[in-house]
Amino acid sequence: MSKIEIRFAEESETEKILYFIKKIAEYEHMEEQVEATAETLRQSIFKRREAEVLFVSLDGEDVGFAVFFQNFSTFVGRAGIWLEDLYVLPEYRGKGCGNALFNYLANLAKERGCKRFEWCCLDWNTPSIEFYRAHGAKPMSEWTTWRLGEKEPESYEKQRT
């Protein structure tokens, strides 16, 4: 029987984090949007602690990862966990790695006293949607994700005035 393990990433594994980011970007057809470098990840994750990373391994080989961070709900007055990315290499899907990683995060949220565990999923990503539904998750159809990024200079300039 295969052995699945979950562990937190270490700073020496920053290149591996970047590798998995590039793999999920490829899967989502967004390779050109990856701006992260090993150094920006090192600073953001390990120096400023802006996010955390978990690796999932199968028989000692890292085959997937999850990036998450703490958020806060004013309505419940408590912290939550926001899952930014969860990815398992295609050849290892269906072997329990994604389930183990997802369940680990859900339990971590409970251990940390979080009231919510949330994420976004691309509308076309049927396999992931089915995966999340199988875990009892429900889409929040009444909400739309909005973004103001630094590449919209007019918007940033308006905010400064």
Side-chain angles (χ1 to χ4, degrees):
M1 177 156 226
S2 297
K3 183 178 180 182
I4 297 173
E5 294 179 305
I6 311 291
R7 65 180 178 75
F8 282 89
E10 297 179 10
E11 187 172 347
S12 62
E13 298 174 300
T14 306
E15 290 287 347
K16 188 183 300 186
I17 296 168
L18 183 57
Y19 166 79
F20 280 110
I21 289 170
K22 289 179 179 179
K23 294 304 282 184
I24 193 170
E26 179 182 318
Y27 174 76
E28 293 177 343
H29 312 290
M30 297 179 175
E31 302 95 327
E32 72 284 349
Q33 294 183 32
V34 176
E35 297 178 18
T37 66
E39 187 54 30
T40 59
L41 293 172
R42 185 174 289 104
Q43 289 298 317
S44 295
I45 296 168
F46 299 104
K47 302 299 183 205
R48 291 191 304 270
R49 306 264 183 223
E50 296 171 337
E52 297 177 74
V53 177
L54 293 170
F55 286 119
V56 59
S57 66
L58 183 64
D59 296 329
E61 181 180 353
D62 291 330
V63 299
F65 83 138
V67 178
F68 65 99
F69 55 90
Q70 187 170 300
N71 61 9
F72 188 83
S73 169
T74 56
F75 286 10
V76 297
R78 302 266 294 276
I81 284 183
W82 181 266
L83 174 60
E84 184 64 23
D85 286 318
L86 187 150
Y87 179 80
V88 174
L89 294 169
E91 60 270 28
Y92 296 98
R93 293 180 190 156
K95 299 178 186 295
C97 297
N99 283 325
L101 194 51
F102 187 86
N103 290 334
Y104 185 95
L105 280 162
N107 287 322
L108 183 64
K110 286 180 187 177
E111 286 173 20
R112 292 183 178 183
C114 297
K115 293 293 282 186
R116 294 179 175 164
F117 175 33
E118 299 172 305
W119 59 92
C120 287
C121 184
L122 292 165
D123 292 340
W124 60 259
N125 193 346
T126 306
S128 292
I129 291 168
E130 291 172 2
F131 174 83
Y132 295 133
R133 285 187 192 278
H135 284 275
K138 294 177 177 64
M140 297 178 59
S141 58
E142 68 276 12
W143 292 87
T144 301
T145 301
W146 292 74
R147 176 178 295 153
L148 179 62
E150 69 178 350
K151 291 189 178 187
E152 290 81 26
E154 288 179 19
S155 299
Y156 265 59
E157 289 303 316
K158 287 178 187 174
Q159 297 302 318
R160 292 183 193 159
T161 59

